Amino acid sequence: MKILALTIMVFVILSPSFAAPTTVADNALGAACDAKQLQPCLAAITGGGQPSGDCCAKLKEQQSCLCGFAKNPAFAQYISSPNSRKVLTACGVPYPSC
């Protein structure tokens, strides 16, 4: 019983050190996938306007991350929206096929 309690205590103490990172090095250039980098695109995606040059540059940087963002419930609605497709097309970024 003491060994079980000790094992549980060690697990509880060490488990926070194995937490998942908030960004993931997932794209081909080695840059971290960070949805915050797509902030310049928010107005175009939510409002339907033309994307800025900064938006297009960030989309191209984060292109390999789009499937990961699409699978995240916090971002899926933005990636799958009709305006998102328009922004991707205007920036010359293919829509992700996950």
Side-chain angles (χ1 to χ4, degrees):
M1 185 68 171
K2 289 182 182 181
I3 293 175
L4 177 61
L6 181 61
T7 303
I8 292 173
M9 285 178 22
V10 168
F11 178 77
V12 169
I13 291 169
L14 292 179
S15 62
S17 65
F18 298 111
T22 56
T23 59
V24 179
D26 191 26
N27 73 25
L29 301 174
C33 292
D34 184 4
K36 292 178 201 168
Q37 295 295 316
L38 299 178
Q39 183 70 27
C41 300
L42 190 59
I45 292 172
T46 58
Q50 287 289 15
S52 65
D54 191 30
C55 168
C56 290
K58 294 296 183 180
L59 274 174
K60 289 174 183 173
E61 287 175 15
Q62 299 283 315
Q63 181 176 349
S64 65
C65 303
L66 294 178
C67 279
F69 297 151
K71 293 175 185 175
N72 183 328
F75 309 120
Q77 66 181 350
Y78 299 108
I79 301 296
S80 64
S81 75
N83 286 340
S84 175
R85 287 182 184 265
K86 291 176 187 174
V87 169
L88 289 168
T89 300
C91 291
V93 176
Y95 188 79
S97 57
C98 309

